[in-house]
Every structure is written in structure tokens, then in C-alpha cells.
Amino acid sequence: MDFKMKYQYTYFIYSYLIEEKKYQSYIYQLLKSPNCKLKLFDRKKDVGIDTYFLPELKEKMFWSLEKKLSEIKQLETMDKKMQATILSQQPCNIFEYTLEGDVPGKIGEAGGIFFDITKVELVCFSTGVCFLMLKTALTENQNFSDVLNFNYKFRDINSKAEHSKLYEAIKIQTGKLNNMQSFSDFIRKIAGHNLKAKQINLDTDRLITYSYVCLNQASWNENTDINLLEKEFEKFRMVKSAREQTEDVSLKEAYTYHEKYLYYGFSNNTTVLLTCDNNIKNYTTLPFQFENEQLYHFIFNLYKKVYLKKLNYEFQQTEQFERIKKDFLTFAKKDWIYEITYNEIGKILEKYYTEEQILQTTFHKLKQKYDLLYKDYEISKNKKSNKWLIVLMIILIAINLVSIIFFASR
């Protein structure tokens, strides 16, 4: 049995790092690009974001909410270099990116999954941690199995690893990019070679999957075989193909939050939402919330994960400890401890996001490493101080001896 869909979309997220000393220059390059535009937020238009997030997060990710119209206009009248200087001092900037003119897509392949790339955004934090987000939507396919196959195929589209025959058998086609190499070239154009990400042990081959599917009520109702549906949901959560064997697949309660006609699923590189149009909110307000405030909420937790990895790598560079100590303490005092939202679903999501990104464990391991490095640093600093103190004492003693000899000889 296949399940018919009413509506769906999938965001694929690519993490990349810009060196902090080059961050201002990178912002300048984005501003110069005719395809790129700074995304600005205001309280009238972005009510959901304004009411969902608490002040600290809004100040960090959506600083333009606080700006007056006159301040925004003043920013827009500045030359690009001055804009880049000002924007690079903001904790986070979000850009909308327009793909260049459509490339003729492949045609004539039977059984292909056709999709469109409907939105591209760049989220750039001043620490150099950035995310490329692509929103995709199937254009002709109406079955849940098509989403499973599409997500399974697309998330590894940037990988150069050998793939299974099942992977190669799935055909995906779009008018935006004519082949996988075009997509890799596009990523490289935005993110460069992303060598820093590999240094901190970040997976740059597999894209993070953030996906929404609303089934129609003929497919999901009181008579639906829930065990079968939950098997398909687990494939959705784990980004498996539709043909994956399902005998041993069952709902993983620890990684799932569900209500009637609504299932959220989580893993370390996936967040998915499966709903049904039996509830009108599931295909009216919820899909908008899922790709706005809930998506940015997810991105912030990804940011914390990547930044902790970055700090962990930099802790190994002991000659920079004084600067890294400041960065870690700033992160611990602000980003790590403040609450994100009072929204009821938001608090549930925060729990799962934190658990699946293993943030608590990563932070405490880093804190232990910091404590050890700090002790070594202080011991080393004290040794240096003692060394100079001894040298100073020797010099003083020598001066006194010279003085005594001088006066004794008179």
C-alpha cells in the first residue's frame, strides 16, 4: 500500500565554515552578488518569529526586528563595503539566494522523480559557522514513497562515495540543475572548499534533512493500519528508501513525538514531520511554522553543535588559549544557557533537538577539556612568572652586591 500526499517539501542543509578573519570579506562577496539579498525581518510581517523566540535568540538571529525603518533605510543606502563592516558585527545574518536561470533538465527518463528548488537561504553566524538551506518540492509525484526515495537520493547528492544499486536506480530530475556535478559546483561557489569543516570532523558529504509531509485523509484515517504507517514513518525519519526491508522496523518512541495525525521524528542529522489533513491546521498554519520558526530553532541547535566542534578543535591549538578561553566563556554564558522559547511545541522540540545533537554530552566533555587546559595554562603562566621573578631577584642581588663592593672600595 502506498500513501497519497496532499502537500510536502524538504529542506536540505549543508554546514560550512568561513575563517573568522575572512568573515567580513565573505559577507561583502555575498552583498556584491546579484543573486544574493540580505533577509530582513519586521514585527508586522514576521509575527510568528517575534512571538515564538525569546529576546536573547531574537537579538542574535533576527536583529533587524529591533531596528526602526529609518535605520534599515540608512543601512541600505550605504556602499557594500560599509554594509559588510556593519553586518559582520552582527551575531547572525540571513541571506536569500536566487538560483540563476533554469538549466534544461533531463528528459525522457521513465520513472524519474521530478522536483523543484523553490527557496535557497544562507544563515551565517559571526563565528564563521554557516548553513546553506535548499527547499525542494516534488512537482509531479503524489506518493509518500516518492518522498522517501527522493530524500534518500538527494541527501547524498554531494557525496563522492560509491553507492548501492538501489541508490543508483532512483532517478531524480529538475530544471534547476542538470546533474549532480552542477549541484556540487553550486555548493563550492557558496561555501568554497570548506576545508575547515573537515578539520573539525564535520560531515560535508551527507546533507542534513528537514522534511514535511501531509497525507490526505483517505490514506490516514481511523481505518488505517497504523503499524504499516509507522514503518513508513521510520523510513522517513531515518531517510531510508521506500524499498528498504521493513520486517524489523518499528516506531522508535525515544526519537518520536506524536499526537493524533501528527508525528515528529528526530535523529542526529534529520528532523521530519508527518501529518494528515484530517486536522486543518496540519496543512494551513503548521507547514508555515515548521519551515520558519521551527526551522530556525533547529538551525540554532545545529549552530551550537558545529561551534562546539570548532571550539574543541581550537582547544588543541594551545598557543591561542587566551582567545579561545574568551570565546568559550562567552558561549557558555550566553548561547548555551539562555532559553529559546516558551512555545509549548517549541519546548518539546528543544528537548529532542538537544538530545539528538548530543549537545549536553559534547558541552560537558568540552568543559572538562577546558578545565584541564586552564589548569595547565595557569601552571605554565605561574612557572613563567616565577622564572622572571627569580631572574629579577638575581638582578637585584647583583645590583646590591655591586653597590656594596663599590661603597666598600671607597
Side-chain angles (χ1 to χ4, degrees):
M1 174 186 174
D2 209 339
F3 297 93
K4 299 293 182 181
M5 298 184 299
K6 185 181 183 72
Y7 180 61
Q8 69 80 218
Y9 59 78
T10 299
Y11 277 85
F12 293 97
I13 303 167
Y14 178 78
S15 310
Y16 64 101
L17 273 77
I18 303 297
E19 290 187 47
E20 289 185 53
K21 63 183 180 181
K22 297 181 180 178
Y23 180 73
Q24 182 175 322
S25 175
Y26 180 70
I27 295 297
Y28 176 58
Q29 294 302 319
L30 293 180
L31 290 171
K32 283 201 309 179
S33 170
N35 303 97
C36 207
K37 180 183 178 183
L38 180 67
K39 186 172 183 177
L40 297 168
F41 299 84
D42 68 69
R43 286 202 160 92
K44 291 181 180 178
K45 176 173 63 74
D46 301 294
V47 176
I49 285 173
D50 192 30
T51 55
Y52 182 89
F53 293 108
L54 291 173
E56 288 279 6
L57 195 283
K58 285 191 288 188
E59 183 180 335
K60 186 174 187 72
M61 288 190 70
F62 314 105
W63 53 267
S64 53
L65 281 172
E66 303 292 333
K67 299 296 182 183
K68 298 176 183 177
L69 183 60
S70 58
E71 293 176 299
I72 297 297
K73 287 184 176 179
Q74 184 180 10
L75 176 66
E76 292 174 335
T77 58
M78 296 177 182
D79 65 70
K80 301 299 183 186
K81 283 193 174 180
M82 182 58 70
Q83 286 184 38
T85 301
I86 293 172
L87 293 178
S88 64
Q89 295 169 2
Q90 296 293 347
C92 178
N93 293 291
I94 301 174
F95 295 89
E96 298 171 302
Y97 192 95
T98 304
L99 284 173
E100 295 174 359
D102 290 359
V103 176
K106 296 178 181 178
I107 58 174
E109 291 192 11
I113 301 173
F114 293 87
F115 70 98
D116 193 13
I117 300 174
T118 59
K119 187 198 298 188
V120 180
E121 284 191 2
L122 312 177
V123 182
C124 300
F125 292 87
S126 58
T127 55
V129 177
C130 301
F131 301 94
L132 167 63
M133 305 194 304
L134 298 101
K135 181 184 179 182
T136 62
L138 305 192
T139 55
E140 298 180 6
N141 310 77
Q142 301 298 322
N143 296 324
F144 188 29
S145 61
D146 294 318
V147 174
L148 300 181
N149 287 332
F150 173 71
N151 288 356
Y152 172 71
K153 177 87 174 188
F154 198 95
R155 76 162 177 170
D156 285 335
I157 199 170
N158 195 46
S159 174
K160 295 180 177 64
E162 291 293 324
H163 296 295
S164 66
K165 291 181 179 179
L166 177 59
Y167 177 92
E168 298 298 346
I170 299 171
K171 306 297 181 183
I172 58 176
Q173 303 174 60
T174 181
K176 296 289 186 185
L177 301 164
N178 60 354
N179 54 43
M180 291 187 184
Q181 185 57 45
S182 296
F183 182 76
S184 296
D185 292 343
F186 169 68
I187 286 184
R188 195 173 299 111
K189 178 180 178 182
I190 297 294
H193 291 285
N194 205 12
L195 299 177
K196 197 76 175 177
K198 295 175 183 177
Q199 285 181 341
I200 69 170
N201 197 31
L202 202 61
D203 187 354
T204 57
D205 289 336
R206 175 159 287 175
L207 303 177
I208 297 164
T209 308
Y210 187 90
S211 192
Y212 167 91
V213 168
C214 181
L215 301 177
N216 63 39
Q217 53 190 292
S219 293
W220 189 359
N221 53 56
E222 297 293 342
N223 299 317
T224 299
D225 183 342
I226 294 300
N227 288 331
L228 178 59
L229 178 66
E230 290 182 349
K231 284 183 178 181
E232 297 303 294
F233 173 77
E234 274 301 301
K235 294 179 191 177
F236 187 37
R237 184 183 72 83
M238 295 302 295
V239 197
K240 302 292 185 182
S241 74
R243 293 184 182 179
E244 191 84 11
Q245 294 297 316
T246 60
E247 287 82 356
D248 299 326
V249 176
S250 59
L251 185 70
K252 302 296 189 296
E253 293 283 351
Y255 311 109
T256 305
Y257 169 76
H258 57 91
E259 301 174 358
K260 190 171 184 179
Y261 300 125
L262 181 148
Y263 281 65
Y264 279 95
F266 309 89
S267 75
N268 63 350
N269 59 2
T270 307
T271 293
V272 299
L273 175 56
L274 179 65
T275 66
C276 173
D277 66 355
N278 271 312
N279 184 336
I280 192 171
K281 290 183 179 180
N282 287 347
Y283 68 93
T284 53
T285 58
L286 185 56
F288 181 78
Q289 292 168 349
F290 188 66
E291 71 167 319
N292 284 277
E293 47 261 40
Q294 292 180 15
L295 174 56
Y296 288 126
H297 187 170
F298 180 57
I299 287 292
F300 185 64
N301 278 281
L302 289 179
Y303 164 73
K304 289 193 285 187
K305 175 183 179 179
V306 175
Y307 189 58
L308 285 171
K309 281 176 170 282
K310 182 173 182 283
L311 285 174
N312 183 56
Y313 173 78
E314 290 178 346
F315 272 174
Q316 299 169 31
Q317 319 302 310
T318 52
E319 68 276 5
Q320 302 178 36
F321 184 75
E322 196 65 49
R323 178 184 65 79
I324 297 165
K325 180 179 77 169
K326 179 182 177 183
D327 292 344
F328 176 73
L329 292 176
T330 299
F331 176 79
K333 290 176 181 177
K334 295 193 68 176
D335 295 358
W336 183 250
I337 63 171
Y338 62 62
E339 292 181 275
I340 304 298
T341 180
Y342 287 155
N343 179 276
E344 289 302 314
I345 289 294
K347 288 191 288 186
I348 292 169
L349 293 177
E350 177 66 11
K351 171 181 174 292
Y352 283 100
Y353 289 160
T354 301
E355 289 176 357
E356 291 311 308
Q357 301 307 319
I358 322 175
L359 294 180
Q360 291 286 352
T361 302
T362 304
F363 179 80
H364 288 304
K365 284 183 178 179
L366 191 62
K367 174 66 166 58
Q368 290 173 351
K369 182 178 286 190
Y370 168 81
D371 290 340
L372 289 172
L373 287 173
Y374 181 76
K375 288 177 182 176
D376 288 344
Y377 177 74
E378 287 298 312
I379 290 171
S380 175
K381 194 166 67 171
N382 288 336
K383 282 182 178 179
K384 287 180 181 178
S385 298
N386 291 338
K387 179 181 176 182
W388 284 112
L389 186 60
I390 291 170
V391 171
L392 182 61
M393 288 176 65
I394 291 171
I395 292 171
L396 290 174
I397 290 171
I399 291 172
N400 287 333
L401 286 173
V402 170
S403 298
I404 292 170
I405 293 171
F406 175 77
F407 286 109
S409 64
R410 291 182 65 180

